[in-house]
């Protein structure tokens, strides 16, 4: 007799705010984003069409949609549940568009964590497309609407993406923490 593994089911409310797209290589273009839920629902919507200004596109647009997630009943760890933000360039006066790049975001990593602002580097659709290192800045707030209050998020990315100047600040903070109360190894010659 086969054992049936039951999964815990959860319903979340996703509040997504697309803040801006930075480091855009186009000097003059109109860009927009398509948001599409890959797992846990069928949400799909478009952002406003915004012109590039100073290599930045400021969207500041919010989207709200429901999401269903599952978790292993033994461990309580949420399974991966993703949505995709596709950045597109308007062509031929708005009658056509060209896909520039996309970002896949795993909502399970942010479930119940409160508002979180992250930066993602755009991925290319084809291998022949030149990557331009554009970064999408977005804020996620995923709250539990239905299901058991006890669940565990999967592990998140190891390192956040930092802008120039932020690296020195994080290194300085690490050094000050280590000099305050960090463990120091002493040998007999130091005594």
């Amino acid at each position: 007799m086969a054992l049936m593994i039951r999964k815990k089911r959860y319903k979340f409310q996703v509040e997504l705010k697309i803040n801006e797209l930075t480091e855009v290589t186009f000097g003059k273009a109109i860009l927009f984003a398509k948001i599409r839920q890959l797992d846990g629902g069928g949400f799909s919507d478009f952002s406003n069409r915004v012109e590039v200004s100073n290599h930045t596109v400021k969207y500041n647009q919010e989207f709200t949609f429901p999401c269903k997630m599952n978790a292993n009943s033994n461990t309580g760890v949420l399974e991966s549940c993703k949505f995709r933000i596709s950045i597109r360039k308007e062509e031929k006066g708005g009658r056509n568009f060209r896909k520039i790049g996309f970002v896949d975001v795993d909502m399970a990593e942010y479930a119940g964590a409160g508002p979180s602002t992250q930066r993602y580097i755009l991925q290319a659709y084809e291998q022949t497309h030149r990557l331009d290192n554009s970064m999408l800045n977005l804020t996620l707030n995923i709250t539990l609407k239905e299901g058991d209050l006890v669940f565990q998020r999967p592990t998140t990315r190891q390192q956040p993406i930092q802008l120039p100047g932020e690296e020195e600040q994080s290194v300085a903070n690490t050094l000050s923490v280590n000099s305050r109360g960090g463990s120091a190894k002493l040998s007999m010659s130091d005594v």
Side-chain angles (χ1 to χ4, degrees):
M1 186 162 101
L3 293 173
M4 188 166 170
I5 299 175
R6 298 211 38 161
K7 294 183 179 183
K8 293 181 180 179
R9 299 190 191 288
Y10 299 92
K11 288 185 182 177
F12 290 93
Q13 185 72 22
V14 179
E15 296 170 7
L16 166 68
K17 181 179 180 185
I18 301 177
N19 298 320
E20 64 181 0
L21 180 68
T22 58
E23 310 298 328
V24 179
T25 57
F26 304 111
K28 194 169 190 181
I30 296 177
L31 301 179
F32 64 98
K34 178 182 179 182
I35 300 93
R36 183 171 61 96
Q37 202 170 352
L38 302 176
D39 305 314
F43 177 78
S44 181
D45 200 359
F46 293 94
S47 72
N48 295 330
R49 285 154 162 61
V50 181
E51 191 170 348
V52 176
S53 173
N54 198 15
H55 299 286
T56 303
V57 178
K58 295 196 181 289
Y59 291 106
N60 292 326
Q61 191 169 0
E62 296 183 15
F63 302 91
T64 303
F65 55 93
C67 176
K68 295 178 184 177
M69 291 190 213
N70 296 324
N72 186 322
S73 62
N74 294 332
T75 62
V77 177
L78 291 172
E79 294 177 355
S80 177
C81 185
K82 295 183 179 183
F83 69 86
R84 175 172 287 179
I85 299 177
S86 171
I87 303 298
R88 298 160 183 222
K89 178 183 174 189
E90 203 175 78
E91 292 181 342
K92 297 181 181 176
R95 287 178 283 164
N96 203 359
F97 63 87
R98 189 175 91 214
K99 294 180 180 179
I100 304 300
F102 69 94
V103 169
D104 285 342
V105 180
D106 189 358
M107 294 178 280
E109 293 179 0
Y110 303 102
S116 175
T117 301
Q118 296 289 326
R119 279 182 279 242
Y120 292 90
I121 295 178
L122 285 186
Q123 305 296 315
Y125 274 102
E126 303 112 22
Q127 297 296 334
T128 58
H129 184 73
R130 184 180 66 105
L131 291 175
D132 57 359
N133 292 334
S134 295
M135 287 191 290
L136 186 65
N137 184 331
L138 52 93
T139 303
L140 270 173
N141 186 16
I142 303 176
T143 54
L144 181 67
K145 290 294 179 191
E146 193 175 303
D148 189 7
L149 295 176
V150 180
F151 63 86
Q152 194 174 7
R153 294 188 309 268
T155 56
T156 59
R157 298 184 293 173
Q158 296 298 329
Q159 291 291 331
I161 299 171
Q162 297 178 335
L163 294 176
E166 290 181 342
E167 293 106 14
E168 292 86 22
Q169 291 174 349
S170 65
V171 169
N173 290 342
T174 304
L175 290 176
S176 66
V177 168
N178 288 341
S179 63
R180 283 188 212 140
S183 62
K185 295 184 180 179
L186 298 174
S187 63
M188 291 304 284
S189 62
D190 294 332
V191 177

